[in-house]
Amino acid sequence: MNSRSSSFSTPSPLHRRQSRPSVTSRLSFAVSNAEQGQHDPSRGGAERQIEQEIDEIRRYEDFTTIDWVQDAAREELRRKARRREHAGSFHRNGRIGWRRKLWESYDAGQAWIVVTLIGAAIGLNAAFLNIVTEWLSDVKLGYCTTAFYLNESFCCWGAENGCAQWHRWSSLWPVNYLLYIVFSFVFALASASLVKSFAPYAAGSGISEIKCIIAGFVMKGFLGFWTLLIKSICLPLAIASGLSVGKEGPSVHYAVCTGNVISRFFEKYKRNAAKTREILSACAAAGVAVAFGSPIGGVLFSLEEMSSYFPLKTMWRSYFCALVATAVLAAMNPFRTGQLVMFQVKYDRSWHFFEVIFYILLGIFGGLYGAFVMKWNLRAQAFRKKYLSKYAVLEATLLAAATALVCYPNMFLRIDMTESMEILFLECEGAHDYNGLCEAKKRWRMVLSLAIATVLRTFLVIISYGCKVPAGIFVPSMAIGASFGRMVGILVEALHDSFPQSRFFATCEPDVPCITPGTYAFLGAGAALSGIMHITVSVVVIMFELTGALTYILPTMIVVGVTKAVGERFGKGGIADRMIWFNGFPFLDTKEEHTFGVPVSRVMTSTMTLLPTSGLDLRSVEKLLADNRFQGFPIVENGAPDVLVGYIGRTELRYAIDRAKREQAVMPNARCFFTPPASTAAITPASAAPPVSFDTMSSTSGQMSIDFSRFIDPTPLAVHPRLPLETVMEVFKKMGPRVILIEYRGQLKGLVTVKDCLKYQFKVEAHDHAREDSSLLERQEHLWQLIQRAAGWFANTTSRISRGRIRLGSNHEHIGSPTTHRSPTSPTSTSRMLDESDNDHPSLELDSR
C-alpha cells in the first residue's frame, strides 16, 4: 500500500462511538465554527473556487431541495473570508481606509438597492399590464373612432350623456355576438400557444409553486426571464379572452420572477439561497400590493400565505418593496382616476347592527363556496391531467369560446370581472346606474341576473382554473362573491321597502337610505376570497385598503371569521395548499398541526445505500451513482457498517470525481477514501465541502487513491429513533435540512426525508378519509367517452358539409386514449420528481391518491 493510503487507519467501532459527538454538540459545532471562521488562508482562493463551482452545479439541479443548515454555514464562512480579504486590502497604517468604508456601506445597503429596483420594475410592469388588459377587454365590444388604441373609458373621457366616439362593431347584435366569440377564441389561442411553445411554467397561477420555492424546492426555469416575459405577454390575452381567470394570482408570479431575474445581477444574491429567499418573499408582497392597491395587505399576505420563514428583516424589506411598487404604479396612474385598481370604492354611510345576520349569511356562503370549488376543481384538474394534457391549446381555446357563448347574454358576465366588481361595489346615489341596477322596478330582474351570474361563474371557475394559460382565482372568486352579495343586498333592500315600519329596521334613519347593496357585494367578495384561499387577516386589510372605510372593518372581520370557521369544517388549507398536495411537491406547511402518535422509526427508510470509509474503488462509486438517483449517501465505518461517520451529497461526490479526473490521471481501480481528518476541532458542513487535497497529491499516489474526506459532512443532523414524528417534522420546518439520519447509540438505523413524512401523511389521510376512487374514475372515463363522441360527430359533420375539404384531427393525434407521456420540462411532471434519497412507492403516486 502506498504512503497516501496507508495513512488511513481504521479506528475501532468503540473508539468511533466515543469520539462521535451528540446531536446537541454537533449542532453547536456548526454554530461555533461558523462564528470563529476557522480557515486555512493558504487555500482560501482554491476553496472559494471549488465552492462556487459546486454552487453553480446546484443551480441546475432541477426538482431538488435546498439544505438550509448547510447554506447558512457556508454563507457565514463566505462572509468571514470576504472580511479578511478586504481587511488586507483596505487597512492603511492600522486605520480603516475610505475604500473599505465605502465598500461596507454598499454591502450593507445592497439589499435596499435591489429591493428598490425590483419594486420599480414590478410597478412599471403592473401599470403596463393594466393598460393593455383594459384595451384588449374593450376591443371585443367595440372600438374608439378617435384613436383605435384607446379603451372605452379613455375614449369617452368626460362624456356626460352617451359617447359618440365609441362605436360597437356593428349595429346588428348577432354580428357583435359573433365577433365577441371570435376575439375570445383568438386571444385564448395566442395565449395558450405562446405558453406551450416558449414557457410552460407561465401557465397557471404559480402561487403554490412559489410557496415551495421559498421553502427550498428548486424548479429550474420557473422564475426565469422567459417565464417572466411570456407571463407578462400572455396574461392580458388570457384575461381579455373572457376565461374565468384573474390576473391577481399571476401578478405574484411575475413579481417574483422579476425579483429573481434582477437579483441574479448581484453576486450577493446569486450565491446565497437564504438571501434570495428574502427577496422572493418581498416580491410576493409587492405582487399582491400592485394587484389590489394594498401594500400592507401584500405584506400580510406574504406573511400569512407565502413564506414559511418570515423574520423581521424580511418583513421590512417586503414592506419597502411593496411601497416602491405601489408608489410607481400610482405615479403611472394607469386608469387616470388616481385609483390603483379599477374596483376601488368609498363608502360614506355606516352599517346597522341588524345587518350582522346577513353578514353571517355572506360568511357561510364564502366558506361553502371555497369548499365546493376546491373539491370539484381538483377533480377537474385530475381529469385534465389524465386525458387533456396533449390538447392544452385546444382546451383553452374551446373553453374561451364556450365561455363567450354563455356569458355574452348576461350583463354581468359580458364585461370584464374587475369592471363588474366596480359596478357592483358602487352605491346607487350619485353613481352611474348600470342597466337599471339601482331601479326598484327592475329589482327582481337584477336578482335573477345576479343569481345566474353567480352559478355560471362558479361552474366556469371550476373548469377554467388550471388550463394552460396564465390563470388566477382571486378576482373570479371575488366577482362571484360580489354578485352573490349584491343579490343579497338587493333582497334586504326589498325587505326594508316592504316593511319600513318593522321593529327589525327601527335603527334606520328616516331620510337616509337604510341599506347599501354595494357594501354587501364588497363583503361577499371578501368572503369568497377568504373561502378559496383560507386567509383571514390579509383579506381584512386588503378590503379595508380598497375602500378606506374604517366603519366596515368590523363587518369584514365578522364575514371572514365565519368564512374561516365554515371552511375549516371541510378541510385544512386553501386552493394553493391543495394544489401543492395534488402536484406532490415536497412541502410541509408550517400552519398545519399533526398528531400521528408514532415514532420516527415507523417512517424512516431503513434500506439504505451506504459508503464505507475505505475499500471502494472509483469504478464502484461511479456505478453506484449511475444505478440510482439518491441525493446523498451515509458514510459508515469500514469494519463496522452500522457506525455512522458522516454524509456526502450526490452533488459533492459527482463534482469530486469529475475534478479528480480532470486534474490527474486517475485509474478506474483507484481507491476511494471518505475518512475525515483526525481532528477534534468542530467542523461544519460548509467548511467540509470546499477544501480538497487533489492539488497536494503526488502524481504517483494520485493515480491509485482519491481522498473525498473534505467533501463529506462529518456532522449530519441525527435524531433518536423513538423521537416523535411530529417533532421531526418540526425540525424540517424550522431548520430545513435535506435529510435527517436516525442514529441509536452511535449506530445508523435509517434516514428520513420530507418525502417520507409526506408519504406517511398521505397514508393516514387515505385511511381516515376513504374515497370512492373507483366510481370517480369510472365517471371520468364516461365523460371522456362522451367528449370523444361529440368530437367525432363534429369532425364528421364538418367534413360532410365541406364535402371533404375540411378535415379535423389527424392520424398521429387521434383523440383516443388517456395521456400518459409527460415532457421532462413540463410542470406537470413534477408530481413524480420529488427529490430526496429514497425509493419510489407507486401506491402513493399522484394518480392513486
Side-chain angles (χ1 to χ4, degrees), residues 220-243:
K220 177 185 173 184
F222 192 83
L223 302 179
F225 173 76
W226 275 106
T227 303
L228 170 62
L229 180 63
I230 298 302
K231 193 103 178 182
S232 300
I233 295 174
C234 296
L235 181 57
L237 293 171
I239 302 302
S241 69
L243 286 169

Side-chain angles (χ1 to χ4, degrees), residues 358-411:
F358 306 107
Y359 296 160
I360 293 175
L361 176 63
L362 294 178
I364 294 174
F365 167 79
L368 295 177
Y369 162 79
F372 179 80
V373 170
M374 282 188 284
K375 175 182 178 179
W376 288 99
N377 178 255
L378 287 180
R379 294 187 174 184
Q381 296 273 35
F383 180 83
R384 176 180 289 115
K385 181 170 289 189
K386 186 174 182 180
Y387 295 101
L388 303 178
S389 296
K390 291 193 299 185
Y391 315 105
V393 177
L394 179 62
E395 179 202 1
T397 52
L398 291 181
L399 269 177
T403 301
L405 184 68
V406 172
C407 293
Y408 188 83
N410 188 282
M411 68 179 75

Side-chain angles (χ1 to χ4, degrees), residues 303-560:
L303 169 64
E304 186 176 2
E305 178 66 14
M306 299 300 297
S307 302
S308 56
Y309 177 73
F310 204 83
L312 183 62
K313 178 173 60 175
T314 303
M315 186 185 72
W316 276 112
R317 286 171 184 168
S318 301
Y319 169 79
F320 188 75
C321 187
L323 172 64
V324 172
T326 309
V328 171
L329 180 61
M332 294 292 294
N333 194 13
F335 303 112
R336 294 295 183 265
T337 60
Q339 296 179 335
L340 297 179
V341 292
M342 182 178 288
F343 46 85
Q344 278 185 325
V345 65
K346 302 292 182 183
Y347 295 120
D348 54 7
R349 289 199 296 268
S350 183
W351 55 283
H352 305 87
F353 193 79
F354 67 83
E355 293 180 281
V356 172
I357 298 175
F358 306 107
Y359 296 160
I360 293 175
L361 176 63
L362 294 178
I364 294 174
F365 167 79
L368 295 177
Y369 162 79
F372 179 80
V373 170
M374 282 188 284
K375 175 182 178 179
W376 288 99
N377 178 255
L378 287 180
R379 294 187 174 184
Q381 296 273 35
F383 180 83
R384 176 180 289 115
K385 181 170 289 189
K386 186 174 182 180
Y387 295 101
L388 303 178
S389 296
K390 291 193 299 185
Y391 315 105
V393 177
L394 179 62
E395 179 202 1
T397 52
L398 291 181
L399 269 177
T403 301
L405 184 68
V406 172
C407 293
Y408 188 83
N410 188 282
M411 68 179 75
F412 299 107
L413 298 178
R414 182 187 312 143
I415 57 179
D416 182 65
M417 284 179 286
T418 55
E419 185 180 355
S420 172
M421 281 193 292
E422 180 188 23
I423 293 169
L424 295 174
F425 285 177
L426 288 176
E427 297 177 345
C428 286
E429 292 74 22
H432 175 64
D433 185 11
Y434 178 72
N435 288 354
L437 180 62
C438 296
E439 297 180 16
K441 61 182 180 180
K442 296 183 178 179
R443 180 174 290 162
W444 299 109
R445 174 190 167 193
M446 290 297 150
V447 168
L448 179 61
S449 182
L450 288 169
I452 294 174
T454 302
V455 174
L456 280 180
R457 183 77 76 187
T458 301
F459 172 73
L460 292 173
V461 166
I462 290 173
I463 63 175
S464 300
Y465 182 69
C467 65
K468 299 307 177 184
V469 295
I473 202 171
F474 284 19
V475 163
S477 297
M478 294 178 68
I480 292 169
S483 59
F484 179 82
R486 185 78 184 205
M487 181 183 67
V488 173
I490 293 175
L491 293 175
V492 175
E493 187 181 37
L495 182 65
H496 173 262
D497 292 344
S498 301
F499 306 98
Q501 304 302 324
S502 173
R503 295 182 59 185
F504 187 75
F505 302 107
T507 56
C508 294
E509 298 180 14
D511 298 329
V512 178
C514 181
I515 305 299
T516 306
T519 60
Y520 288 80
F522 159 75
L523 294 173
L529 178 59
S530 176
I532 199 67
M533 293 299 297
H534 278 220
I535 51 179
T536 53
V537 179
S538 52
V539 170
V540 173
V541 175
I542 287 173
M543 302 309 287
F544 162 68
E545 290 185 282
L546 281 176
T547 61
L550 285 170
T551 54
Y552 281 91
I553 286 185
L554 183 58
T556 308
M557 294 177 66
I558 293 173
V559 169
V560 170

Side-chain angles (χ1 to χ4, degrees), residues 175-301:
V175 176
N176 291 328
Y177 194 4
L178 179 62
L179 288 176
Y180 184 88
I181 297 173
V182 170
F183 273 115
S184 300
F185 184 89
V186 171
F187 290 158
L189 177 64
S191 180
S193 299
L194 288 173
V195 167
K196 182 179 180 180
S197 301
F198 297 100
Y201 279 140
S205 173
I207 289 181
S208 57
E209 290 86 352
I210 291 172
K211 287 184 67 172
C212 298
I213 290 173
I214 292 177
F217 189 50
V218 178
M219 297 180 68
K220 177 185 173 184
F222 192 83
L223 302 179
F225 173 76
W226 275 106
T227 303
L228 170 62
L229 180 63
I230 298 302
K231 193 103 178 182
S232 300
I233 295 174
C234 296
L235 181 57
L237 293 171
I239 302 302
S241 69
L243 286 169
S244 294
V245 296
K247 65 181 178 182
E248 277 63 21
S251 68
V252 176
H253 190 185
Y254 75 68
V256 176
C257 288
T258 303
N260 181 68
V261 171
I262 293 178
S263 64
R264 287 296 176 184
F265 291 101
F266 295 83
E267 192 71 19
K268 185 175 183 179
Y269 296 96
K270 188 177 181 181
R271 303 293 181 189
N272 189 349
K275 291 189 177 299
T276 304
R277 175 168 63 171
E278 297 176 2
I279 295 297
L280 300 185
S281 299
C283 294
V288 175
V290 296
F292 292 101
S294 173
I296 303 301
V299 175
L300 291 176
F301 177 83

Side-chain angles (χ1 to χ4, degrees), residues 144-167:
C144 183
T145 56
T146 307
F148 185 75
Y149 56 85
L150 294 179
N151 60 28
E152 184 177 4
S153 61
F154 283 175
C155 183
C156 302
W157 193 266
E160 294 291 339
N161 298 318
C163 179
Q165 291 79 19
W166 182 261
H167 286 184

Side-chain angles (χ1 to χ4, degrees), residues 570-625:
F570 296 94
K572 303 288 185 179
I575 187 68
D577 301 307
R578 305 291 177 90
M579 290 305 299
I580 290 174
W581 175 86
F582 179 80
N583 289 317
F585 295 137
F587 177 77
L588 289 174
D589 194 352
T590 56
K591 299 187 292 292
E592 288 189 11
E593 296 181 359
H594 305 283
T595 306
F596 298 115
V598 297
V600 69
S601 58
R602 289 277 300 274
V603 181
M604 70 180 185
T605 301
S606 56
T607 304
M608 301 166 291
T609 301
L610 308 177
L611 295 178
T613 54
S614 61
L616 288 179
D617 56 22
L618 182 59
R619 184 187 297 107
S620 301
V621 176
E622 290 185 312
K623 186 177 184 301
L624 184 69
L625 288 174

